[in-house]
Amino acid sequence: MQLTRDEVQKHNSKDSCWVVIHGSVYDVTDFVDSHPGGPHVLLRCAGKDATEDFDSVHDQELLAQSLPSSAFRGHLEPGSLGKSSNASAHVPEIKQTGDSPPPLTTLINLNDFKHLAQKHLPPNAWAYYCSGADDETSKRQNAKAYQKISLRPRILRSIRAVDTSTSLLGKSVSLPVYMSPVGIAKLAHPNGERALAAAAGKEGVAQVLANGSSFPIESVMKARVREDQPLFAQLYVNKDIKKSEDTVRRADAAGAGAIWITVDSPVVGKREMDERLNLQIQARDNPATKGQGVAKTMASSISPFIDWDILTWIRGLTSLPIVIKGIQCVEDAVLAYENGVQGIVLSNHGGRSQDTAQSPLLTLLEIRRYAPYLLESKMQIFIDGGVRRGTDVLKALALGATAVGLGRPFLYGLASGYGEEGVRRTIEILRQEIESNMVFLGVKSLEELGPHLLNTARLERDMVGSVKL
């Protein structure tokens, strides 16, 4: 059915909300309150052309998965309607006059990518990616924890070559580094998670696909460069459990290698940079709004009412390995082991959930002191948060971690127009730092790493608490 401009513009309220995406008109009235980005996102687009807003964060395949066929109302000639008022806030732009990004070869550490990303990302994308909770103490301490550990290099070891390969949940990788789940990567680059997948495959590392991915898992799987390329699927348990059931079944059917259930954000941390900017944008569009940041609106559907029994529910849906992401103390690491999961991630959500939560590296030290048997068990221990150098990776592995996850740095690698090649350069830098520092330490393989190569005295002074096992 061909619709007129006037017909569509009439449906511009919460009671009757129509949007136009790529010339197709959809009635999203019943979807307004359950939209992961919050109702204001759809209401801003009501009766308007929402194509740019939609494309900035989603892939078109998502329409068929999110909306029933009955939502389609007809077609409208593209360009017939005005665009939503905030479309330009989502679209990354690279200034061309003297402000173009430099050649990738001139970027020599991960912080170089961060500085460029801040310069080129739209303000709301930067705020969403970079922000931490409250005073961002945990975000800072995550990195500082690694600085409190000193290396103890061994000399005269005649290291002619080093082997950085390992296995994550039975999947071979070339580095003990993986891509942590990072949401709406399309804010950094149009190819988003698909570009991450291509880079991961070419560099031989694993990717954990975010529950809030810009692209559906089937699309990201197609972007891989090798059939045996490991991709794991993150799960936030939805308040509507049927939606989470669909997520698990689709991940299994698509060929995901494991389910990583994230448990460290039953509610969303107060990410003030993100909230402040988006409140300004929403107040401009509607002064009466009680809006909130991107993170909080996206996470409004997460269920805070799950407990350890959720593992039984997941096992009833899939036989895939299960990893619990968000372990923040040794007591819960022990409980995870007793509940038979295949892996845990020591993580405080990159300092984005509860501020002043201890650093994951400190949790790893707790495990080493109070439950060392976990380090020798079949349960793999992963860690993320604050890792920016190859030496950080080696310190975590020497303390017993299987591999280290990075999130923000790969988003920054995507940004500034670099896309897949920027991510590959990020991995290349980490690879070089890991390899050279293995030579400094006098080890040929990851298996030779151990606490004997570290001085942890300064960090251990922080490990004062009431551990109950």
Side-chain angles (χ1 to χ4, degrees), residues 4-13 16-28 40-54 76-87 284-286:
T4 67
R5 171 180 175 172
D6 289 342
E7 285 177 307
V8 176
Q9 288 181 324
K10 291 177 183 177
H11 301 275
N12 60 358
S13 68
S16 183
C17 181
W18 288 15
V19 297
V20 181
I21 301 175
H22 292 289
S24 295
V25 182
Y26 298 94
D27 181 352
V28 296
H40 72 276
V41 174
L42 289 181
L43 294 177
R44 186 181 63 235
C45 302
K48 298 177 182 178
D49 190 328
T51 302
E52 284 190 19
D53 254 8
F54 182 86
L76 185 72
E77 184 69 25
S80 300
L81 285 176
K83 297 176 182 178
S84 60
S85 59
N86 195 39
R284 180 196 66 196
D285 295 338
N286 179 7

Side-chain angles (χ1 to χ4, degrees), residues 124-357:
N124 65 325
W126 173 255
Y128 173 60
Y129 288 158
C130 184
S131 60
D134 294 357
D135 296 315
E136 299 192 336
T137 301
S138 286
K139 178 185 170 185
R140 293 191 299 273
Q141 292 300 323
N142 284 352
K144 287 183 179 179
Y146 286 94
Q147 297 168 16
K148 290 183 178 181
I149 291 181
S150 301
L151 295 169
R152 303 181 65 249
R154 301 301 305 273
I155 62 173
L156 299 175
R157 292 300 181 96
S158 185
I159 307 297
R160 303 180 187 277
V162 296
D163 180 8
T164 61
S165 63
T166 189
S167 177
L168 310 187
L169 303 173
K171 308 292 185 181
S172 297
V173 292
S174 71
L175 274 180
V177 169
Y178 65 88
M179 295 179 179
S180 293
V182 286
I184 49 177
K186 209 173 183 186
L187 284 176
H189 190 274
N191 290 332
E193 292 83 0
R194 290 175 56 85
L196 291 175
K202 292 174 182 177
E203 294 297 329
V205 302
Q207 175 186 12
V208 186
L209 184 65
N211 200 143
S213 169
S214 301
F215 294 86
I217 189 170
E218 296 84 358
S219 177
V220 179
M221 293 292 285
K222 290 177 183 176
R224 296 180 307 161
V225 298
R226 297 181 290 108
E227 287 189 4
D228 61 345
Q229 178 182 330
L231 184 145
F232 309 124
Q234 181 195 34
L235 173 70
Y236 281 108
V237 178
N238 198 290
K239 292 176 181 175
D240 181 352
I241 198 68
K242 291 182 179 179
K243 292 184 178 180
S244 289
E245 181 176 332
D246 178 62
T247 298
V248 173
R249 293 192 187 281
R250 282 179 50 209
D252 199 337
I259 301 296
W260 291 46
I261 178 172
T262 297
V263 297
D264 54 15
S265 289
V267 294
V268 179
K270 189 183 178 190
R271 305 175 195 174
E272 295 183 2
M273 185 198 311
D274 180 31
E275 289 191 21
R276 182 173 287 111
L277 178 66
N278 282 277
L279 281 168
Q280 292 170 357
I281 292 173
Q282 292 164 31
R284 180 196 66 196
D285 295 338
N286 179 7
T289 186
K290 295 182 180 179
Q292 51 196 1
V294 174
K296 191 164 289 186
T297 52
M298 283 191 63
S300 59
S301 61
I302 297 174
S303 173
F305 307 118
I306 61 173
D307 56 24
W308 291 97
D309 289 339
I310 198 67
L311 299 176
T312 301
W313 171 81
I314 295 177
R315 291 185 178 114
L317 298 175
T318 180
S319 60
L320 288 174
I322 297 172
V323 175
I324 297 180
K325 181 180 182 298
I327 298 292
Q328 299 177 79
C329 64
V330 63
E331 293 94 330
D332 282 341
V334 170
L335 284 173
Y337 172 75
E338 292 174 349
N339 276 272
V341 299
Q342 283 69 46
I344 58 174
V345 185
L346 310 183
S347 175
N348 60 21
H349 216 86
R352 290 161 69 81
S353 290
Q354 185 173 43
D355 198 22
T356 71

